[in-house]
Amino acid sequence: MRIVVLAGGIGGARFLRGLLAAAPEAEITVIGNTGDDIHLFGLKVCPDLDTVMYTLGGGIHEEQGWGRADETFTVKEELAAYGVGPEWFGLGDRDFATHIVRTQMLAAGYPLSAVTEALCARWKPGVRLIPMSDDRVETHVLVETDGERKAIHFQEYWVRLRAAVPAHAVVPVGAEAAKPAPGVLEAIAAADVIVFPPSNPVVSIGTILAVPGVREAIAEAGVPVVGLSPIVGDAPVRGMADKVLAAVGVESTAAAVAAHYGSGLLDGWLVDTVDEGAVPQIEAAGIRCRAIPLLMTDLDATTRMAREALALAEEVRA
Amino acid sequence: MRIVVLAGGIGGARFLRGLLAAAPEAEITVIGNTGDDIHLFGLKVCPDLDTVMYTLGGGIHEEQGWGRADETFTVKEELAAYGVGPEWFGLGDRDFATHIVRTQMLAAGYPLSAVTEALCARWKPGVRLIPMSDDRVETHVLVETDGERKAIHFQEYWVRLRAAVPAHAVVPVGAEAAKPAPGVLEAIAAADVIVFPPSNPVVSIGTILAVPGVREAIAEAGVPVVGLSPIVGDAPVRGMADKVLAAVGVESTAAAVAAHYGSGLLDGWLVDTVDEGAVPQIEAAGIRCRAIPLLMTDLDATTRMAREALALAEEVRA
C-alpha cells in the first residue's frame, strides 16, 4: 500500500509515528510544508521538515515536540553575545549542525529535496520525506499592531508574538510561482490513500495545497483522501490553529475545517468523539465522517487513530 | 606613540599582550594575516584574526593558544554524524558563532575589515585589528605525497598533515591581485614604529608582505622597523616554521630569517641569548641586533621582550 501524507510539524510528525505502527508494510511518502522555513543567521532553517525527520528518526525533544533531545544552546548564547539575534527562535547546537549542512548543500547547488534526502540518510525516518517544493515559499501573516497593518514572517507571528495579535490574512508568498518538488506529483498519482493528519489546515496543509498542481493532483488521484480534525471541541488540540483559521474566515470547529477542505478534495474526515454531533452535518456535505478519540496522548492512541483513518479510506473506496 | 604590528596567530597574539603591557598608552594597529583563512562547512573561518581577537579579548583557550576557553564540540560531532567533515579542523561551538556572524555579514555585503571591526566590538582587544586585505588570499603549499606533487590548502598541510610531508613551495594564492584593506597603508604611513612579532616569517608575516603595496609602504615609512626572531637556537619556538622556511630556501636560524626580511625592510632584530653568536653577522648585514631572552613563558617575559623591541626601535631612530 502506498500512502501519501501532507504534513506540517509536530501534529503531522506524531501522527506519522502512529501511521508507521499501523501500517508497517506501507510505503509512506510525506510531503512536507516548507512555508514556515526561515533564514536565520544566514542559515536555512526548515522547522517542519526537521520536526518530521527528528521525530521519526529518534532525535526529537519529546516533551517539546520540536528541536533535538539533549540539546545545548552555546552557539545561540555566543551569537547573543555578539548582539546577533533573533533570540526568540530557539536554535540549539545540535540543531545548528542540520542547518549548517543544509545551507552548505544549498549553496553548492543541490535543491532542497536532494538536501532533505541527504539529511534523512542519517535519520532514517522510515518514510520518504519530500519538501512540497524546491522553490522558496514563505508564509507571511498580515497583523495589526498599534493600529498599523504589516506583513511579518509566520515564525515571527507564531513564535515571537505567540499568535497573540490579530491576524488579518495569511499569505504563502511565492507559492503561486512554486513548482512541486520532484516526486511530489508522482507520489500523489501513485498513491492508494492520501491522508491529511491533524496538522494546521491553514499554514501547514493549506500551504502545501497552495503549490500549483498539488490540490489538482490530489483531487484527480481517484483514491480516498481522508483527514483527521486538528480541532477538538472548538479548540485546536495544540498550537494556535484557531488564530489562523479566523484569519481565513473559517470557524474553529471540526465541521468548518472539513468544509474548508471541501468535498471536492476530502472524502473522509475523522472528528473527536466530543464532536460526534457534527457528524451528520459533515456527511450531509458529502464527506464520510466518523467520531473517534483524536488525542495523540501516546503511540497506542495515535496508532489507533491511524488505523481508523485507513479503515475510513477503505470504506470510502468501497 | 603609534605602533603597527604585522601578526599571524598564536605567536603574534601572545606578543601583543606583552606590547599592550609595555606600551599601555600607545595606539596599536595590528595588520592580521588572512592567508590561512579557510571555508569550512560553508562558513568563513579566519584563524589568525580570531586568535588575536580571542587572546587580547580574554576568550582564548590559554593552554592551546587558539580557539575558545571552556569550549564544547556539539556542532562538530553532529556534523560528523551527518558524514560532513573535515574532522581534522577543531571548530568548537563558541567558535562556530564567530564564523556564523562573520559569514552572515560577508553575505550581506560587508567587507572583512568591517566584519572584523564588528566582531572586535564585542571583544575589545585594545588594539585596532585590520585584516591585511578584504580580498581573498589563500596560502597553498606544494607538497609531495606518494611521489606526486600537489597544492593543498595551508590548513590541510599544517593541521591535518602537521607539516610532516615535504613542502616544495608556499604560494599565497590571490595575493598578487589583493589590495590592502582600508586603513592598512594609512596606519603604516602614520606609524612611529613597525614591529614584526615572532610570527611565522613565511606564512604569516610573509603573506602580509605579499599583498602589493604593504612591503613598499613599510620600507618607505621612514620609521624604525624591528622584529623578534621566531627561531631560537635553530628551531622554531613553537609551530613548524622550519618546514615552510625550508620550502622557500631559508635556513632555520635567527640570522637567516633576518637576512630573508633584508636590511631594506628590517632595521632592528632581536635574537635569543642562545643565538648571541649570530649578532655580529646580522649587524654586518646592516641590521641592528640585540640578544635577549625570547621565550614568551609568561606575560612578564613577553612584556620585557616588547620593551626591548621598542628600545631597539629608539636606538635605530637615534
Side-chain angles (χ1 to χ4, degrees):
Chain A
M1 183 166 56
R2 297 197 186 98
I3 309 174
V4 166
V5 180
L6 272 52
I10 304 178
R14 289 193 172 156
F15 174 76
L16 282 164
R17 270 190 179 160
L19 186 63
L20 278 161
E25 304 298 321
E27 191 181 291
I28 302 173
T29 300
V30 178
I31 301 171
N33 170 42
T34 57
D36 60 353
D37 290 4
I38 185 167
H39 283 81
L40 292 169
F41 314 111
L43 301 173
K44 170 85 163 175
V45 180
C46 300
D48 281 1
L49 295 180
D50 289 350
T51 294
V52 170
M53 187 171 79
Y54 294 159
T55 300
L56 302 186
I60 201 77
H61 187 298
E62 289 293 343
E63 297 73 45
Q64 200 169 250
W66 54 269
R68 295 286 311 278
D70 192 23
E71 188 58 292
T72 51
F73 292 86
T74 305
V75 175
K76 192 185 171 187
E77 285 160 21
E78 286 289 328
L79 289 168
Y82 279 115
V84 173
E87 295 192 38
W88 50 263
F89 203 88
L91 287 186
D93 299 331
R94 295 182 190 280
D95 203 20
F96 255 112
T98 300
H99 313 315
I100 288 170
V101 174
R102 176 185 289 123
T103 305
Q104 190 181 9
M105 286 190 72
L106 289 171
Y110 291 95
L112 183 61
S113 50
V115 174
T116 305
E117 196 180 335
L119 295 172
C120 284
R122 170 183 176 193
W123 292 101
K124 299 178 179 53
V127 301
R128 181 175 175 210
L129 176 62
I130 317 179
M132 64 189 200
S133 178
D134 282 334
D135 302 317
R136 184 166 171 175
V137 178
E138 210 169 77
T139 302
H140 285 203
V141 181
L142 186 66
V143 296
E144 191 167 324
T145 46
D146 305 327
E148 222 176 308
R149 291 192 178 196
K150 61 173 181 169
I152 59 175
H153 191 287
F154 170 70
Q155 296 294 354
E156 192 175 351
Y157 170 74
W158 203 250
V159 180
R160 186 170 79 85
L161 301 176
R162 302 189 166 278
V165 298
H168 296 283
V170 177
V171 186
V173 179
E176 71 291 347
K179 288 179 298 296
V184 166
L185 298 183
E186 294 80 352
I188 293 170
D192 297 307
V193 180
I194 298 169
V195 181
F196 296 176
S199 287
N200 190 306
V202 182
V203 296
S204 295
I205 296 177
T207 309
I208 301 171
L209 293 172
V211 176
V214 172
R215 176 185 287 270
E216 296 74 6
I218 293 172
E220 291 162 13
V223 296
V225 179
V226 297
L228 299 94
S229 177
I231 305 289
V232 169
D234 304 350
V237 175
R238 66 169 308 287
M240 302 154 285
D242 49 330
K243 303 298 174 66
V244 284
L245 280 167
V248 298
V250 176
E251 250 193 299
S252 277
T253 67
V257 173
H260 175 63
Y261 285 133
S263 61
L265 189 69
L266 201 63
D267 302 306
W269 191 237
L270 293 176
V271 300
D272 190 79
T273 43
V274 303
D275 296 311
E276 192 148 23
V279 172
Q281 177 196 350
I282 294 165
E283 296 222 308
I287 298 169
R288 193 171 287 251
C289 186
R290 295 286 170 271
I292 61 157
L294 279 192
L295 298 181
M296 299 190 281
T297 42
D298 55 29
L299 181 59
D300 281 351
T302 310
T303 305
R304 279 194 294 274
M305 284 166 57
R307 272 202 205 102
E308 294 282 1
L310 295 177
L312 183 61
E314 289 317 305
E315 254 188 64
V316 167
R317 196 191 311 277
Chain B
M1 183 167 53
R2 297 196 186 97
I3 308 175
V4 166
V5 180
L6 272 52
I10 306 179
R14 288 192 173 157
F15 174 77
L16 282 164
R17 271 191 179 159
L19 185 63
L20 279 162
E25 303 298 322
E27 190 181 293
I28 301 172
T29 300
V30 178
I31 301 171
N33 171 43
T34 57
D36 61 353
D37 290 4
I38 186 167
H39 283 80
L40 292 169
F41 315 109
L43 302 173
K44 170 88 162 174
V45 180
C46 301
D48 281 2
L49 295 181
D50 289 350
T51 294
V52 170
M53 188 171 78
Y54 293 159
T55 300
L56 302 185
I60 199 78
H61 186 299
E62 290 291 345
E63 297 74 44
Q64 199 170 249
W66 53 269
R68 295 286 309 277
D70 192 22
E71 188 58 291
T72 51
F73 292 87
T74 306
V75 176
K76 191 186 171 187
E77 286 160 20
E78 287 290 327
L79 289 168
Y82 280 115
V84 172
E87 295 194 37
W88 50 262
F89 203 90
L91 287 187
D93 298 332
R94 293 182 191 279
D95 204 19
F96 256 111
T98 301
H99 313 315
I100 288 170
V101 174
R102 177 186 290 122
T103 305
Q104 190 181 9
M105 285 190 73
L106 289 171
Y110 291 95
L112 183 61
S113 50
V115 174
T116 304
E117 196 179 335
L119 294 172
C120 284
R122 169 182 176 193
W123 292 102
K124 300 177 178 55
V127 302
R128 181 178 175 206
L129 175 62
I130 317 179
M132 65 190 200
S133 178
D134 282 333
D135 301 317
R136 183 166 171 175
V137 178
E138 212 170 74
T139 302
H140 285 202
V141 181
L142 186 66
V143 295
E144 192 168 323
T145 45
D146 305 326
E148 223 176 307
R149 289 191 180 196
K150 60 171 182 172
I152 59 175
H153 191 287
F154 170 71
Q155 296 294 354
E156 192 176 350
Y157 170 73
W158 203 250
V159 179
R160 186 170 80 84
L161 302 176
R162 301 190 166 276
V165 297
H168 296 285
V170 177
V171 185
V173 179
E176 71 290 348
K179 288 180 296 298
V184 166
L185 297 183
E186 293 79 353
I188 293 171
D192 298 308
V193 180
I194 297 169
V195 182
F196 296 176
S199 286
N200 190 306
V202 181
V203 296
S204 295
I205 295 177
T207 308
I208 301 171
L209 293 173
V211 176
V214 172
R215 175 185 287 272
E216 296 74 5
I218 294 172
E220 291 161 13
V223 296
V225 178
V226 297
L228 299 93
S229 177
I231 305 289
V232 169
D234 303 349
V237 175
R238 67 170 307 286
M240 303 154 285
D242 49 330
K243 303 298 174 65
V244 285
L245 281 167
V248 298
V250 176
E251 250 191 301
S252 278
T253 66
V257 173
H260 174 63
Y261 285 134
S263 62
L265 191 69
L266 201 64
D267 301 307
W269 190 238
L270 293 176
V271 299
D272 190 79
T273 44
V274 303
D275 296 312
E276 191 148 23
V279 172
Q281 177 196 349
I282 294 165
E283 295 224 306
I287 297 168
R288 192 170 288 250
C289 186
R290 296 285 171 269
I292 61 156
L294 278 193
L295 297 182
M296 299 190 282
T297 42
D298 56 30
L299 182 59
D300 281 351
T302 310
T303 306
R304 279 194 295 272
M305 283 166 59
R307 272 201 205 104
E308 293 283 359
L310 295 177
L312 184 61
E314 289 317 306
E315 255 188 64
V316 167
R317 196 192 311 276

